[in-house]
Amino acid sequence: MKSSLLRLAGLMLALSLSSAAAAHELRPAFLDIREEGAILYDVLWKTPARGDFRLSLDVELPQACEDVSPVTSERTNSARVNRWRIRCVDGLQNRTIGIGGLSATYTDVLFRFTRRDGTVQTSRLTPERPEITVASSPSLLDTARTYFLLGKEHILQGVDHLLFVLALLLLIPSVRLLVETVTAFTVAHSITLAFAAFGWASAPQQPVEALIALSIVIVAAEIINRERGRRDISIRYPWLIAFAFGLLHGFGFGGALREIGLPQKDVPMALLSFNLGVEAGQLLFIFVVLIAIALIRKLVVLNSRMPQMIAAYGVGSVAAFWFVERVAAF
C-alpha cells in the first residue's frame, strides 16, 4: 500500500511540475485598442509565446479599417507584442472584432477598448466566443459581469494561489477553524488588492510571485510538523498565517488587475466585482476539494499519516520548484 501511494505521488508530482510550468508561461492573449481620434485607433496585440513557439492568432478588424502605420514588433520571454495604428472610416462603435484561430486553441483573449472620454470596455474572448461587438457605451451591469468573470477565471487559472488554499485545507483539522482561516485570507488579500488597484501601495511582481511560492512551501512544512506532533502557533491559529500570506497574495491579484486595467468610471463596481469573482472561484475550488476528500475517505480506509505526508511533500516540492524558477527569472 505504501509503495503504491509513493509511486502515485511521484507521478502526480511529475505531472504537476510539467503542467504548472507550462501554465505559468502560457498566459492569455491581450488585445488593447485605444481611440485616438474620430476614426483613428492605436492597437496593441500581445500573443503568448514560449521560445520560438507562438500561438497562431490574428486580429480580425472590420473591413472599413485600414492600417496607417507599419507594425512594430517586440519579443519578450513569454509573449510577442505588436503595435500599429488603424483608420476606421465608420468608427468601431457597434462594430465586430474577432480573433482568427482562437476557436482552435485552449486559451482566452482579454479585450480592452478605451474611448477618448476615458470609458473602458473590457471583455473576455474564448474559443467558444471569439468575437466581440464594441459597445457605444458600456453599462454598469456589463462592467460588473465582465470583471466578475475575469476575477473568477484568474483564481481558477492561478495554480499557485489554489495550491496555497489546498495546503491550508490539509493543515486545518476542523470546519470552524477552516472558516476562520479562509475568512482571514479573504480579508487580507482584499485589502492589498484594493491598495494595489488604486495605486496606494505596490510591490514588484516577480518578487511577489516568488514569495507566493515560498508561502506554499512554509504551509506545507507546517503540515509535516503537525503530523510529527508539533503544535506551534501557526498550527493552533492558522488564520494568523493565512492573514499574513493573504496580504502577499493580494499583491499578486493586484498585479493581474493592473494588467487588465480598471475603467475610468465605475471603478468601485469593477473592483468589487473582480474581488467577488476571485472569491467565487476560491469557494468553488474549496467545495470540490472537500467533496473529493470526503469521497476518498469513504472509498479508501486510511489508518496512517502517510497520505497527509505524501500530499504535504508533493505540494511543498512543486512550490519549491516554482520558487527557484521565479527567483532565477529576476
Side-chain angles (χ1 to χ4, degrees):
M1 177 67 175
K2 288 185 178 180
S3 61
S4 298
L5 284 171
L6 288 172
R7 284 197 296 271
L8 178 60
L11 177 60
M12 290 178 63
L13 177 58
L15 290 174
S16 299
L17 287 172
S18 59
S19 62
H24 177 63
E25 293 179 14
L26 200 58
R27 298 175 181 270
F30 177 53
L31 175 61
D32 183 36
I33 300 180
R34 294 178 178 271
E35 186 179 33
E36 297 296 335
I39 58 174
L40 289 176
Y41 305 87
D42 286 338
V43 181
L44 182 149
W45 174 229
K46 182 178 179 182
T47 50
R50 190 189 308 157
D52 294 328
F53 170 76
R54 182 181 72 86
L55 286 180
S56 182
L57 300 174
D58 299 296
V59 180
E60 296 178 345
L61 295 164
Q63 290 185 349
C65 297
E66 61 177 354
D67 296 350
V68 293
S69 76
V71 177
T72 62
S73 181
E74 62 178 308
R75 192 166 119 185
T76 67
N77 292 333
S78 59
R80 179 174 292 277
V81 181
N82 293 334
R83 292 182 173 87
W84 71 100
R85 175 167 284 196
I86 60 174
R87 179 191 294 116
C88 301
V89 176
D90 300 320
L92 282 177
Q93 279 78 5
N94 301 313
R95 303 295 177 183
T96 299
I97 297 171
I99 304 297
L102 183 60
S103 58
T105 70
Y106 293 98
T107 193
D108 295 340
V109 175
L110 176 64
F111 169 76
R112 183 171 67 197
F113 181 78
T114 306
R115 298 168 183 78
R116 280 185 293 171
D117 63 3
T119 58
V120 177
Q121 177 182 352
T122 305
S123 300
R124 182 175 59 96
L125 306 185
T126 65
E128 296 76 29
R129 193 173 73 89
E131 295 182 336
I132 182 70
T133 299
V134 179
S136 11
S137 180
S139 68
L140 184 64
L141 182 60
D142 289 335
T143 298
R145 181 173 58 249
T146 296
Y147 278 85
F148 178 85
L149 292 174
L150 288 170
K152 186 176 72 172
E153 180 173 321
H154 176 69
I155 185 66
L156 291 178
Q157 291 182 348
V159 184
D160 47 3
H161 296 290
L162 293 181
L163 204 61
F164 180 82
V165 175
L166 175 60
L168 289 178
L169 291 175
L170 294 173
L171 177 67
I172 299 163
S174 72
V175 174
R176 182 186 64 81
L177 208 51
L178 175 61
V179 171
E180 291 178 357
T181 303
V182 171
T183 301
F185 181 65
T186 295
V187 170
H189 75 62
S190 298
I191 292 171
T192 45
L193 169 60
F195 274 58
F198 284 114
W200 298 336
S202 63
Q205 197 65 17
Q206 285 186 319
V208 165
E209 290 185 355
L211 289 173
I212 287 173
L214 184 60
S215 72
I216 303 169
V217 175
I218 292 172
V219 178
E222 291 301 308
I223 297 169
I224 295 167
N225 288 337
R226 187 200 63 192
E227 293 302 317
R228 289 174 175 170
R230 286 183 52 182
R231 297 276 300 170
D232 57 23
I233 189 170
S234 64
I235 293 173
R236 285 181 284 126
Y237 306 105
W239 59 268
L240 283 175
I241 193 170
F243 185 86
F245 287 134
L247 295 172
L248 181 65
H249 284 243
F251 281 117
F253 294 137
L257 192 55
R258 279 196 304 273
E259 288 183 6
I260 295 169
L262 284 168
Q264 188 161 324
K265 66 174 187 176
D266 302 329
V267 171
M269 175 58 73
L271 182 58
L272 175 63
S273 300
F274 183 84
N275 202 44
L276 288 175
V278 168
E279 291 317 306
Q282 181 176 285
L283 291 174
L284 176 62
F285 174 75
I286 291 172
F287 176 76
V288 170
V289 170
L290 290 177
I291 292 294
I293 290 173
L295 288 174
I296 290 171
R297 285 176 176 168
K298 277 188 173 293
L299 296 173
V300 183
V301 179
L302 300 173
N303 296 318
S304 71
R305 296 175 179 174
M306 181 62 71
Q308 288 275 52
M309 296 290 280
I310 290 174
Y313 276 111
V315 167
S317 297
V318 172
F321 173 81
W322 286 340
F323 176 69
V324 173
E325 180 190 45
R326 293 173 186 184
V327 168
F330 285 0

Tab-separated table of all heavy atoms in Angstrom, residues 128-184:
chain	number	residue	atom	x	y	z
A	128	GLU	N	-15.075	29.458	-27.691
A	128	GLU	CA	-16.495	29.340	-27.998
A	128	GLU	C	-17.098	30.675	-28.434
A	128	GLU	O	-18.125	30.698	-29.112
A	128	GLU	CB	-17.271	28.843	-26.765
A	128	GLU	CG	-16.896	27.432	-26.308
A	128	GLU	CD	-15.567	27.408	-25.562
A	128	GLU	OE1	-15.231	28.444	-24.939
A	128	GLU	OE2	-14.878	26.376	-25.601
A	129	ARG	N	-16.463	31.797	-28.032
A	129	ARG	CA	-16.971	33.124	-28.390
A	129	ARG	C	-15.795	34.001	-28.806
A	129	ARG	O	-15.314	34.840	-28.039
A	129	ARG	CB	-17.698	33.744	-27.189
A	129	ARG	CG	-18.534	34.963	-27.542
A	129	ARG	CD	-19.355	35.416	-26.347
A	129	ARG	NE	-18.566	36.061	-25.333
A	129	ARG	CZ	-18.305	37.367	-25.281
A	129	ARG	NH1	-18.747	38.165	-26.203
A	129	ARG	NH2	-17.596	37.872	-24.301
A	130	PRO	N	-15.311	33.815	-30.072
A	130	PRO	CA	-14.088	34.508	-30.496
A	130	PRO	C	-14.318	35.905	-31.058
A	130	PRO	O	-13.398	36.490	-31.624
A	130	PRO	CB	-13.548	33.571	-31.587
A	130	PRO	CG	-14.765	32.948	-32.174
A	130	PRO	CD	-15.771	32.834	-31.058
A	131	GLU	N	-15.547	36.457	-30.932
A	131	GLU	CA	-15.838	37.787	-31.458
A	131	GLU	C	-16.454	38.662	-30.374
A	131	GLU	O	-17.042	38.171	-29.418
A	131	GLU	CB	-16.807	37.693	-32.644
A	131	GLU	CG	-16.244	36.985	-33.857
A	131	GLU	CD	-17.222	36.970	-35.020
A	131	GLU	OE1	-18.455	37.077	-34.767
A	131	GLU	OE2	-16.774	36.820	-36.171
A	132	ILE	N	-16.299	39.984	-30.561
A	132	ILE	CA	-16.865	40.941	-29.619
A	132	ILE	C	-17.371	42.147	-30.393
A	132	ILE	O	-16.758	42.574	-31.365
A	132	ILE	CB	-15.812	41.383	-28.559
A	132	ILE	CG1	-16.420	42.341	-27.540
A	132	ILE	CG2	-14.609	42.027	-29.232
A	132	ILE	CD1	-17.401	41.715	-26.613
A	133	THR	N	-18.511	42.671	-29.986
A	133	THR	CA	-19.044	43.899	-30.577
A	133	THR	C	-18.701	45.067	-29.664
A	133	THR	O	-18.989	45.023	-28.458
A	133	THR	CB	-20.572	43.810	-30.764
A	133	THR	OG1	-20.871	42.734	-31.648
A	133	THR	CG2	-21.119	45.106	-31.341
A	134	VAL	N	-18.075	46.083	-30.228
A	134	VAL	CA	-17.690	47.258	-29.441
A	134	VAL	C	-18.955	48.056	-29.107
A	134	VAL	O	-19.681	48.485	-30.004
A	134	VAL	CB	-16.693	48.141	-30.217
A	134	VAL	CG1	-16.324	49.378	-29.381
A	134	VAL	CG2	-15.444	47.342	-30.568
A	135	ALA	N	-19.206	48.203	-27.823
A	135	ALA	CA	-20.421	48.912	-27.394
A	135	ALA	C	-20.239	50.410	-27.540
A	135	ALA	O	-19.135	50.944	-27.436
A	135	ALA	CB	-20.740	48.565	-25.935
A	136	SER	N	-21.376	51.117	-27.819
A	136	SER	CA	-21.263	52.569	-27.861
A	136	SER	C	-20.950	53.155	-26.503
A	136	SER	O	-20.213	54.102	-26.374
A	136	SER	CB	-22.525	53.227	-28.382
A	136	SER	OG	-23.571	52.394	-28.488
A	137	SER	N	-21.466	52.521	-25.447
A	137	SER	CA	-21.138	52.914	-24.072
A	137	SER	C	-21.439	51.728	-23.154
A	137	SER	O	-22.572	51.253	-23.127
A	137	SER	CB	-21.975	54.122	-23.650
A	137	SER	OG	-21.666	54.492	-22.328
A	138	PRO	N	-20.423	51.236	-22.420
A	138	PRO	CA	-20.643	50.062	-21.567
A	138	PRO	C	-21.548	50.394	-20.382
A	138	PRO	O	-21.439	51.462	-19.793
A	138	PRO	CB	-19.233	49.695	-21.087
A	138	PRO	CG	-18.459	50.972	-21.178
A	138	PRO	CD	-19.047	51.734	-22.325
A	139	SER	N	-22.459	49.479	-20.048
A	139	SER	CA	-23.360	49.690	-18.914
A	139	SER	C	-22.690	49.232	-17.626
A	139	SER	O	-21.684	48.521	-17.643
A	139	SER	CB	-24.664	48.913	-19.120
A	139	SER	OG	-24.406	47.522	-19.049
A	140	LEU	N	-23.271	49.640	-16.483
A	140	LEU	CA	-22.756	49.225	-15.177
A	140	LEU	C	-22.823	47.714	-15.036
A	140	LEU	O	-21.898	47.081	-14.512
A	140	LEU	CB	-23.562	49.906	-14.065
A	140	LEU	CG	-23.100	49.648	-12.625
A	140	LEU	CD1	-21.712	50.214	-12.396
A	140	LEU	CD2	-24.094	50.258	-11.638
A	141	LEU	N	-23.903	47.112	-15.543
A	141	LEU	CA	-24.058	45.659	-15.465
A	141	LEU	C	-23.003	44.948	-16.305
A	141	LEU	O	-22.453	43.919	-15.894
A	141	LEU	CB	-25.459	45.254	-15.930
A	141	LEU	CG	-25.797	43.757	-15.865
A	141	LEU	CD1	-25.679	43.258	-14.422
A	141	LEU	CD2	-27.188	43.492	-16.422
A	142	ASP	N	-22.697	45.489	-17.486
A	142	ASP	CA	-21.650	44.905	-18.334
A	142	ASP	C	-20.306	44.917	-17.616
A	142	ASP	O	-19.558	43.940	-17.649
A	142	ASP	CB	-21.535	45.683	-19.654
A	142	ASP	CG	-22.730	45.451	-20.569
A	142	ASP	OD1	-23.367	44.389	-20.429
A	142	ASP	OD2	-23.020	46.334	-21.395
A	143	THR	N	-20.007	46.055	-16.974
A	143	THR	CA	-18.739	46.170	-16.240
A	143	THR	C	-18.676	45.150	-15.112
A	143	THR	O	-17.677	44.450	-14.938
A	143	THR	CB	-18.589	47.593	-15.669
A	143	THR	OG1	-18.564	48.534	-16.739
A	143	THR	CG2	-17.297	47.722	-14.864
A	144	ALA	N	-19.770	45.043	-14.339
A	144	ALA	CA	-19.798	44.112	-13.206
A	144	ALA	C	-19.636	42.674	-13.690
A	144	ALA	O	-18.850	41.906	-13.121
A	144	ALA	CB	-21.104	44.268	-12.432
A	145	ARG	N	-20.365	42.300	-14.724
A	145	ARG	CA	-20.301	40.924	-15.227
A	145	ARG	C	-18.905	40.594	-15.756
A	145	ARG	O	-18.353	39.526	-15.472
A	145	ARG	CB	-21.345	40.720	-16.325
A	145	ARG	CG	-21.357	39.296	-16.878
A	145	ARG	CD	-22.515	39.054	-17.836
A	145	ARG	NE	-22.514	39.978	-18.963
A	145	ARG	CZ	-23.424	40.937	-19.137
A	145	ARG	NH1	-24.412	41.080	-18.275
A	145	ARG	NH2	-23.363	41.726	-20.180
A	146	THR	N	-18.325	41.516	-16.515
A	146	THR	CA	-17.003	41.272	-17.105
A	146	THR	C	-15.943	41.084	-16.033
A	146	THR	O	-15.150	40.138	-16.071
A	146	THR	CB	-16.611	42.436	-18.034
A	146	THR	OG1	-17.525	42.486	-19.131
A	146	THR	CG2	-15.198	42.251	-18.568
A	147	TYR	N	-15.920	41.979	-15.034
A	147	TYR	CA	-14.872	41.899	-14.010
A	147	TYR	C	-15.097	40.726	-13.056
A	147	TYR	O	-14.138	40.157	-12.527
A	147	TYR	CB	-14.760	43.222	-13.249
A	147	TYR	CG	-13.927	44.241	-13.997
A	147	TYR	CD1	-14.492	45.049	-14.980
A	147	TYR	CD2	-12.563	44.349	-13.769
A	147	TYR	CE1	-13.722	45.957	-15.690
A	147	TYR	CE2	-11.789	45.260	-14.468
A	147	TYR	CZ	-12.372	46.057	-15.430
A	147	TYR	OH	-11.595	46.943	-16.143
A	148	PHE	N	-16.353	40.343	-12.843
A	148	PHE	CA	-16.623	39.150	-12.028
A	148	PHE	C	-16.047	37.917	-12.718
A	148	PHE	O	-15.363	37.090	-12.086
A	148	PHE	CB	-18.129	38.990	-11.818
A	148	PHE	CG	-18.502	37.757	-11.040
A	148	PHE	CD1	-18.506	37.770	-9.653
A	148	PHE	CD2	-18.838	36.574	-11.696
A	148	PHE	CE1	-18.843	36.628	-8.928
A	148	PHE	CE2	-19.179	35.428	-10.983
A	148	PHE	CZ	-19.183	35.452	-9.600
A	149	LEU	N	-16.305	37.762	-14.023
A	149	LEU	CA	-15.794	36.603	-14.761
A	149	LEU	C	-14.271	36.621	-14.826
A	149	LEU	O	-13.623	35.577	-14.739
A	149	LEU	CB	-16.394	36.587	-16.173
A	149	LEU	CG	-17.899	36.300	-16.244
A	149	LEU	CD1	-18.406	36.459	-17.673
A	149	LEU	CD2	-18.212	34.904	-15.718
A	150	LEU	N	-13.690	37.823	-14.974
A	150	LEU	CA	-12.224	37.921	-15.002
A	150	LEU	C	-11.623	37.507	-13.663
A	150	LEU	O	-10.607	36.809	-13.620
A	150	LEU	CB	-11.806	39.354	-15.349
A	150	LEU	CG	-12.036	39.792	-16.796
A	150	LEU	CD1	-11.800	41.295	-16.937
A	150	LEU	CD2	-11.126	39.031	-17.750
A	151	GLY	N	-12.244	37.922	-12.556
A	151	GLY	CA	-11.745	37.536	-11.235
A	151	GLY	C	-11.854	36.044	-10.999
A	151	GLY	O	-10.912	35.401	-10.507
A	152	LYS	N	-13.000	35.456	-11.377
A	152	LYS	CA	-13.186	34.021	-11.195
A	152	LYS	C	-12.190	33.232	-12.042
A	152	LYS	O	-11.588	32.260	-11.573
A	152	LYS	CB	-14.615	33.626	-11.567
A	152	LYS	CG	-14.942	32.168	-11.283
A	152	LYS	CD	-16.398	31.847	-11.575
A	152	LYS	CE	-16.663	31.822	-13.072
A	152	LYS	NZ	-18.015	31.323	-13.410
A	153	GLU	N	-12.006	33.668	-13.294
A	153	GLU	CA	-11.066	32.945	-14.158
A	153	GLU	C	-9.634	33.078	-13.649
A	153	GLU	O	-8.849	32.133	-13.717
A	153	GLU	CB	-11.160	33.475	-15.594
A	153	GLU	CG	-10.206	32.780	-16.544
A	153	GLU	CD	-10.423	33.191	-17.978
A	153	GLU	OE1	-11.577	33.353	-18.382
A	153	GLU	OE2	-9.431	33.364	-18.690
A	154	HIS	N	-9.294	34.260	-13.141
A	154	HIS	CA	-7.921	34.465	-12.665
A	154	HIS	C	-7.584	33.512	-11.526
A	154	HIS	O	-6.518	32.898	-11.523
A	154	HIS	CB	-7.730	35.908	-12.200
A	154	HIS	CG	-6.378	36.152	-11.609
A	154	HIS	ND1	-5.227	36.150	-12.363
A	154	HIS	CD2	-5.986	36.361	-10.325
A	154	HIS	CE1	-4.180	36.359	-11.568
A	154	HIS	NE2	-4.615	36.490	-10.333
A	155	ILE	N	-8.491	33.346	-10.557
A	155	ILE	CA	-8.182	32.465	-9.429
A	155	ILE	C	-8.170	31.007	-9.863
A	155	ILE	O	-7.327	30.217	-9.424
A	155	ILE	CB	-9.176	32.686	-8.252
A	155	ILE	CG1	-8.767	31.856	-7.028
A	155	ILE	CG2	-10.586	32.361	-8.640
A	155	ILE	CD1	-7.471	32.259	-6.401
A	156	LEU	N	-9.078	30.615	-10.770
A	156	LEU	CA	-9.123	29.221	-11.196
A	156	LEU	C	-7.945	28.851	-12.086
A	156	LEU	O	-7.585	27.680	-12.189
A	156	LEU	CB	-10.448	28.928	-11.919
A	156	LEU	CG	-11.695	28.946	-11.026
A	156	LEU	CD1	-12.944	28.694	-11.844
A	156	LEU	CD2	-11.585	27.919	-9.901
A	157	GLN	N	-7.339	29.843	-12.742
A	157	GLN	CA	-6.151	29.586	-13.544
A	157	GLN	C	-4.867	29.846	-12.762
A	157	GLN	O	-3.781	29.527	-13.231
A	157	GLN	CB	-6.160	30.445	-14.814
A	157	GLN	CG	-7.242	30.040	-15.809
A	157	GLN	CD	-7.213	30.856	-17.076
A	157	GLN	OE1	-6.531	31.869	-17.154
A	157	GLN	NE2	-7.945	30.427	-18.083
A	158	GLY	N	-5.003	30.433	-11.562
A	158	GLY	CA	-3.823	30.719	-10.740
A	158	GLY	C	-3.460	29.515	-9.905
A	158	GLY	O	-3.878	29.383	-8.745
A	159	VAL	N	-2.681	28.610	-10.497
A	159	VAL	CA	-2.368	27.348	-9.834
A	159	VAL	C	-1.669	27.584	-8.497
A	159	VAL	O	-1.899	26.853	-7.528
A	159	VAL	CB	-1.491	26.467	-10.751
A	159	VAL	CG1	-1.242	25.099	-10.123
A	159	VAL	CG2	-2.151	26.294	-12.104
A	160	ASP	N	-0.824	28.599	-8.414
A	160	ASP	CA	-0.107	28.835	-7.155
A	160	ASP	C	-1.060	29.263	-6.039
A	160	ASP	O	-0.954	28.793	-4.903
A	160	ASP	CB	1.023	29.858	-7.341
A	160	ASP	CG	0.583	31.101	-8.104
A	160	ASP	OD1	-0.614	31.205	-8.450
A	160	ASP	OD2	1.445	31.969	-8.361
A	161	HIS	N	-2.019	30.144	-6.349
A	161	HIS	CA	-2.989	30.560	-5.329
A	161	HIS	C	-3.839	29.370	-4.867
A	161	HIS	O	-4.109	29.199	-3.672
A	161	HIS	CB	-3.897	31.657	-5.876
A	161	HIS	CG	-3.187	32.924	-6.207
A	161	HIS	ND1	-2.665	33.759	-5.242
A	161	HIS	CD2	-2.889	33.503	-7.390
A	161	HIS	CE1	-2.087	34.800	-5.829
A	161	HIS	NE2	-2.214	34.666	-7.135
A	162	LEU	N	-4.259	28.538	-5.808
A	162	LEU	CA	-5.073	27.371	-5.457
A	162	LEU	C	-4.276	26.365	-4.637
A	162	LEU	O	-4.821	25.725	-3.727
A	162	LEU	CB	-5.611	26.700	-6.727
A	162	LEU	CG	-6.623	27.515	-7.538
A	162	LEU	CD1	-7.092	26.718	-8.750
A	162	LEU	CD2	-7.821	27.927	-6.679
A	163	LEU	N	-2.989	26.231	-4.953
A	163	LEU	CA	-2.167	25.291	-4.190
A	163	LEU	C	-2.004	25.772	-2.746
A	163	LEU	O	-1.942	24.968	-1.817
A	163	LEU	CB	-0.800	25.132	-4.859
A	163	LEU	CG	-0.048	23.825	-4.554
A	163	LEU	CD1	-0.865	22.631	-5.020
A	163	LEU	CD2	1.311	23.814	-5.230
A	164	PHE	N	-1.944	27.096	-2.549
A	164	PHE	CA	-1.875	27.635	-1.187
A	164	PHE	C	-3.163	27.311	-0.429
A	164	PHE	O	-3.123	26.898	0.746
A	164	PHE	CB	-1.668	29.156	-1.242
A	164	PHE	CG	-1.591	29.806	0.116
A	164	PHE	CD1	-0.406	29.799	0.841
A	164	PHE	CD2	-2.700	30.426	0.671
A	164	PHE	CE1	-0.330	30.393	2.101
A	164	PHE	CE2	-2.637	31.024	1.925
A	164	PHE	CZ	-1.449	31.001	2.637
A	165	VAL	N	-4.313	27.494	-1.081
A	165	VAL	CA	-5.592	27.165	-0.446
A	165	VAL	C	-5.658	25.674	-0.126
A	165	VAL	O	-6.128	25.268	0.951
A	165	VAL	CB	-6.767	27.580	-1.358
A	165	VAL	CG1	-8.097	27.124	-0.762
A	165	VAL	CG2	-6.778	29.092	-1.551
A	166	LEU	N	-5.176	24.832	-1.039
A	166	LEU	CA	-5.144	23.386	-0.795
A	166	LEU	C	-4.285	23.065	0.429
A	166	LEU	O	-4.663	22.233	1.262
A	166	LEU	CB	-4.605	22.660	-2.024
A	166	LEU	CG	-4.399	21.142	-1.880
A	166	LEU	CD1	-5.715	20.446	-1.543
A	166	LEU	CD2	-3.785	20.567	-3.145
A	167	ALA	N	-3.142	23.720	0.542
A	167	ALA	CA	-2.265	23.487	1.695
A	167	ALA	C	-2.965	23.878	2.994
A	167	ALA	O	-2.840	23.185	4.014
A	167	ALA	CB	-0.960	24.270	1.531
A	168	LEU	N	-3.727	24.973	2.970
A	168	LEU	CA	-4.480	25.371	4.164
A	168	LEU	C	-5.525	24.313	4.529
A	168	LEU	O	-5.727	23.999	5.701
A	168	LEU	CB	-5.171	26.719	3.928
A	168	LEU	CG	-4.279	27.964	3.871
A	168	LEU	CD1	-5.120	29.200	3.572
A	168	LEU	CD2	-3.513	28.160	5.180
A	169	LEU	N	-6.183	23.754	3.508
A	169	LEU	CA	-7.184	22.713	3.762
A	169	LEU	C	-6.555	21.486	4.406
A	169	LEU	O	-7.150	20.843	5.280
A	169	LEU	CB	-7.868	22.316	2.458
A	169	LEU	CG	-8.796	23.365	1.821
A	169	LEU	CD1	-9.309	22.865	0.475
A	169	LEU	CD2	-9.959	23.685	2.732
A	170	LEU	N	-5.338	21.147	3.979
A	170	LEU	CA	-4.641	19.997	4.552
A	170	LEU	C	-4.166	20.272	5.981
A	170	LEU	O	-4.043	19.363	6.793
A	170	LEU	CB	-3.446	19.613	3.669
A	170	LEU	CG	-3.771	19.093	2.269
A	170	LEU	CD1	-2.500	18.928	1.452
A	170	LEU	CD2	-4.524	17.764	2.349
A	171	LEU	N	-3.906	21.545	6.259
A	171	LEU	CA	-3.371	21.912	7.573
A	171	LEU	C	-4.452	21.974	8.650
A	171	LEU	O	-4.191	21.666	9.812
A	171	LEU	CB	-2.664	23.274	7.477
A	171	LEU	CG	-2.094	23.867	8.763
A	171	LEU	CD1	-0.925	23.021	9.280
A	171	LEU	CD2	-1.645	25.315	8.528
A	172	ILE	N	-5.678	22.339	8.257
A	172	ILE	CA	-6.712	22.676	9.239
A	172	ILE	C	-7.588	21.464	9.548
A	172	ILE	O	-8.168	20.865	8.645
A	172	ILE	CB	-7.572	23.842	8.719
A	172	ILE	CG1	-6.677	25.065	8.506
A	172	ILE	CG2	-8.696	24.166	9.671
A	172	ILE	CD1	-7.289	26.122	7.651
A	173	PRO	N	-7.728	21.113	10.830
A	173	PRO	CA	-8.450	19.897	11.201
A	173	PRO	C	-9.962	20.065	11.374
A	173	PRO	O	-10.687	19.092	11.365
A	173	PRO	CB	-7.812	19.503	12.536
A	173	PRO	CG	-7.390	20.810	13.132
A	173	PRO	CD	-7.026	21.711	11.992
A	174	SER	N	-10.462	21.288	11.583
A	174	SER	CA	-11.884	21.454	11.901
A	174	SER	C	-12.547	22.449	10.959
A	174	SER	O	-11.898	23.337	10.400
A	174	SER	CB	-12.067	21.938	13.345
A	174	SER	OG	-11.669	23.291	13.468
A	175	VAL	N	-13.869	22.303	10.805
A	175	VAL	CA	-14.632	23.187	9.917
A	175	VAL	C	-14.621	24.616	10.443
A	175	VAL	O	-14.469	25.576	9.686
A	175	VAL	CB	-16.085	22.673	9.773
A	175	VAL	CG1	-16.919	23.658	8.964
A	175	VAL	CG2	-16.107	21.298	9.118
A	176	ARG	N	-14.803	24.783	11.769
A	176	ARG	CA	-14.819	26.133	12.341
A	176	ARG	C	-13.511	26.860	12.079
A	176	ARG	O	-13.496	28.021	11.663
A	176	ARG	CB	-15.083	26.072	13.855
A	176	ARG	CG	-15.162	27.447	14.525
A	176	ARG	CD	-15.279	27.315	16.033
A	176	ARG	NE	-14.095	26.713	16.619
A	176	ARG	CZ	-12.957	27.398	16.880
A	176	ARG	NH1	-12.876	28.684	16.590
A	176	ARG	NH2	-11.942	26.779	17.431
A	177	LEU	N	-12.414	26.163	12.312
A	177	LEU	CA	-11.109	26.763	12.080
A	177	LEU	C	-10.881	27.028	10.589
A	177	LEU	O	-10.244	28.017	10.221
A	177	LEU	CB	-10.014	25.833	12.625
A	177	LEU	CG	-8.699	26.481	13.079
A	177	LEU	CD1	-8.955	27.627	14.049
A	177	LEU	CD2	-7.790	25.437	13.703
A	178	LEU	N	-11.427	26.167	9.739
A	178	LEU	CA	-11.306	26.367	8.297
A	178	LEU	C	-12.024	27.641	7.873
A	178	LEU	O	-11.494	28.436	7.095
A	178	LEU	CB	-11.883	25.160	7.546
A	178	LEU	CG	-11.946	25.279	6.023
A	178	LEU	CD1	-10.556	25.466	5.433
A	178	LEU	CD2	-12.626	24.053	5.421
A	179	VAL	N	-13.235	27.858	8.400
A	179	VAL	CA	-13.995	29.072	8.072
A	179	VAL	C	-13.235	30.311	8.520
A	179	VAL	O	-13.121	31.301	7.780
A	179	VAL	CB	-15.392	29.022	8.724
A	179	VAL	CG1	-16.102	30.368	8.578
A	179	VAL	CG2	-16.223	27.909	8.094
A	180	GLU	N	-12.699	30.287	9.742
A	180	GLU	CA	-11.921	31.426	10.246
A	180	GLU	C	-10.705	31.697	9.369
A	180	GLU	O	-10.378	32.856	9.062
A	180	GLU	CB	-11.462	31.148	11.678
A	180	GLU	CG	-12.580	31.120	12.711
A	180	GLU	CD	-12.052	30.788	14.107
A	180	GLU	OE1	-10.842	30.526	14.239
A	180	GLU	OE2	-12.869	30.790	15.062
A	181	THR	N	-10.031	30.639	8.961
A	181	THR	CA	-8.796	30.784	8.192
A	181	THR	C	-9.075	31.327	6.800
A	181	THR	O	-8.387	32.246	6.326
A	181	THR	CB	-8.070	29.428	8.093
A	181	THR	OG1	-7.832	28.945	9.412
A	181	THR	CG2	-6.752	29.560	7.365
A	182	VAL	N	-10.083	30.770	6.123
A	182	VAL	CA	-10.434	31.244	4.776
A	182	VAL	C	-10.913	32.690	4.831
A	182	VAL	O	-10.589	33.510	3.960
A	182	VAL	CB	-11.495	30.322	4.138
A	182	VAL	CG1	-12.023	30.919	2.842
A	182	VAL	CG2	-10.921	28.941	3.881
A	183	THR	N	-11.676	33.039	5.870
A	183	THR	CA	-12.129	34.423	6.035
A	183	THR	C	-10.948	35.374	6.217
A	183	THR	O	-10.907	36.464	5.619
A	183	THR	CB	-13.074	34.545	7.246
A	183	THR	OG1	-14.192	33.680	7.052
A	183	THR	CG2	-13.564	35.974	7.415
A	184	ALA	N	-9.971	34.978	7.039
A	184	ALA	CA	-8.786	35.807	7.257
A	184	ALA	C	-8.013	35.997	5.955
A	184	ALA	O	-7.543	37.102	5.643
A	184	ALA	CB	-7.889	35.160	8.307
